Amino acid sequence: MTNIRQAFARVCNANMGTFTNIMKQQQPLALPSIRAMSSASTPKQKATATDSPTLDMLYGDNVPISAKKDIMGDVYCKVADRYDAVSDMISMSMNKRWKQRFIEQMRPMPGDKMLDVAGGTCEVARRYLQYQDTVNHDMTSSVHVVDFNDSMLQVGRRRMAQSSWMDNERVTFAQGNAEDLADVPDNSVDIYCISAGMHNLPHPERALREAYRVVKPGGRFACLEYGHTDTPVIGQICRWYWDTGIPFLGQVLANDRASYERLARSVRTFPHQKRFAQAIRHAGFHLPGAGYELYQWGMMVAYIGSKPRTA
């Protein structure tokens, strides 16, 4: 750990000149927009292949948006076994606090059936079931984990293999696409949860429509996603960290700089929390107040709302 910190410090010092120039700018760095979110203005319209542009600048290298799923699938195949450990290091262990706070804000009720989308490693599913067991003293609630990447699901299955939750079938798994949850019936889940998954999707607005379809009237929508820090100095530090620090840590911790560059770019180009909250509302969900809560100045953002009971 000491060697990693020393190495990271050397990179920070080596790039300090670049960072100083960034800090001298009067305006924040411009963030490219995601065209997919603009189509959220028509959530009732059936999604088609023409909903998105031919090329997307998510990765800064003219990657076709239609190829994003396959590209991110390859990334997660490479990082699956180390994903949570590296995420904890990257977030300086705040990742665990964020997810625990997220579960508490979700306020699960006894007997709730949760759909955990993009939840392959079961970090959120495990915390959800622990909350039900220890806070609600409930042994009837369940979670169905869906992930498009089988490598991530395998990690989750291994982690849950010896648990009573698996023995009692309170946690189940399926490989599936967040943008087309064909195997999940309409109005069938009490909670739809997705944690750090929306930024990986080619068309987040399609996932929002699917979320609205599968949640019961009166049920909850819970999304935890990376955000944008608007505080000028902190925001520019965070952007520098994503652009420079994250790829370096990916190289040191996982020997895979390229994959973490992809992840960082995908996060950096996700819509601002204000825009994404609008998209969630347009999908049909009610979000109270501003529609979101910032964790650590917006490094992570929690969106927790509900589907109208009259839907």
Side-chain angles (χ1 to χ4, degrees):
M1 185 65 70
T2 300
N3 291 336
I4 291 174
R5 289 175 178 169
Q6 291 175 346
F8 186 46
R10 287 196 296 270
V11 164
C12 292
N13 292 333
N15 288 275
M16 190 55 67
T18 301
F19 177 66
T20 300
N21 291 333
I22 291 174
M23 293 299 291
K24 289 180 180 178
Q25 297 178 12
Q26 295 182 356
Q27 298 296 328
L29 296 177
L31 294 175
S33 62
I34 296 179
R35 166 70 183 275
M37 293 311 301
S38 65
S39 61
S41 60
T42 56
K44 303 300 182 181
Q45 184 178 356
K46 184 176 180 181
T48 67
T50 59
D51 285 348
S52 60
T54 303
L55 294 178
D56 186 67
M57 297 303 291
L58 286 173
Y59 306 118
D61 51 9
N62 290 335
V63 172
I65 195 168
S66 60
K68 184 177 182 184
K69 179 182 174 183
D70 292 337
I71 291 171
M72 296 311 293
D74 182 63
V75 167
Y76 280 95
C77 283
K78 293 178 180 179
V79 305
D81 289 330
R82 303 176 296 270
Y83 178 75
D84 286 332
V86 175
S87 294
D88 286 342
M89 173 60 71
I90 286 173
S91 67
M92 294 168 284
S93 295
M94 289 188 291
N95 187 49
K96 294 179 179 178
R97 300 177 189 176
W98 291 335
K99 290 181 178 178
Q100 186 60 38
R101 172 63 176 159
F102 180 55
I103 293 295
E104 292 168 356
Q105 285 186 293
M106 200 185 296
R107 296 183 179 178
M109 300 296 291
D112 274 352
K113 178 181 179 181
M114 185 173 85
L115 177 66
D116 186 15
V117 179
T121 63
C122 287
E123 180 65 21
V124 171
R126 179 179 61 82
R127 292 179 183 276
Y128 166 78
L129 291 171
Q130 285 178 339
Y131 182 96
Q132 291 284 28
D133 290 356
T134 60
V135 177
N136 288 336
H137 306 290
D138 170 54
M139 303 299 171
T140 63
S141 54
S142 64
V143 56
H144 184 53
V145 180
V146 174
D147 201 297
F148 78 99
N149 189 281
D150 186 60
S151 296
M152 298 287 279
L153 284 174
Q154 289 179 20
V155 173
R157 287 191 182 99
R158 288 198 299 269
R159 290 181 175 177
M160 292 292 206
Q162 304 303 318
S163 70
S164 61
W165 301 319
M166 283 284 281
D167 294 338
N168 297 328
E169 298 184 345
R170 291 179 63 195
V171 56
T172 54
F173 299 87
Q175 189 170 6
N177 183 353
E179 297 179 6
D180 184 13
L181 298 168
D183 295 332
V184 183
D186 295 358
N187 304 316
S188 61
V189 300
D190 298 291
I191 303 173
Y192 173 101
C193 170
I194 182 167
S195 174
M198 281 288 181
H199 72 271
N200 291 320
L201 303 178
H203 307 96
E205 77 285 355
R206 296 183 188 179
L208 292 176
R209 292 200 290 269
E210 279 292 86
Y212 188 82
R213 179 184 66 81
V214 303
V215 172
K216 297 176 182 178
R220 277 145 290 163
F221 170 86
C223 174
L224 186 65
E225 189 52 79
Y226 295 104
H228 298 285
T229 304
D230 294 330
T231 304
V233 174
I234 296 176
Q236 292 184 12
I237 291 173
C238 288
R239 287 188 285 273
W240 175 84
Y241 182 59
W242 277 110
D243 291 340
T244 303
I246 299 300
F248 171 76
L249 288 176
Q251 177 65 41
V252 171
L253 300 177
N255 194 30
D256 189 359
R257 183 183 185 90
S259 292
Y260 281 86
E261 285 179 339
R262 295 281 193 193
L263 290 173
R265 289 174 187 172
S266 184
V267 168
R268 288 270 278 111
T269 52
F270 193 73
H272 189 279
Q273 45 268 19
K274 291 181 180 179
R275 291 184 61 207
F276 191 55
Q278 290 175 350
I280 295 171
R281 285 179 170 133
H282 197 77
F285 291 107
H286 169 71
L287 292 174
Y292 54 85
E293 179 174 330
L294 303 180
Y295 295 174
Q296 308 311 129
W297 307 286
M299 293 174 64
M300 189 68 81
V301 183
Y303 310 83
I304 298 180
S306 60
K307 182 174 178 177
R309 293 185 181 277
T310 56

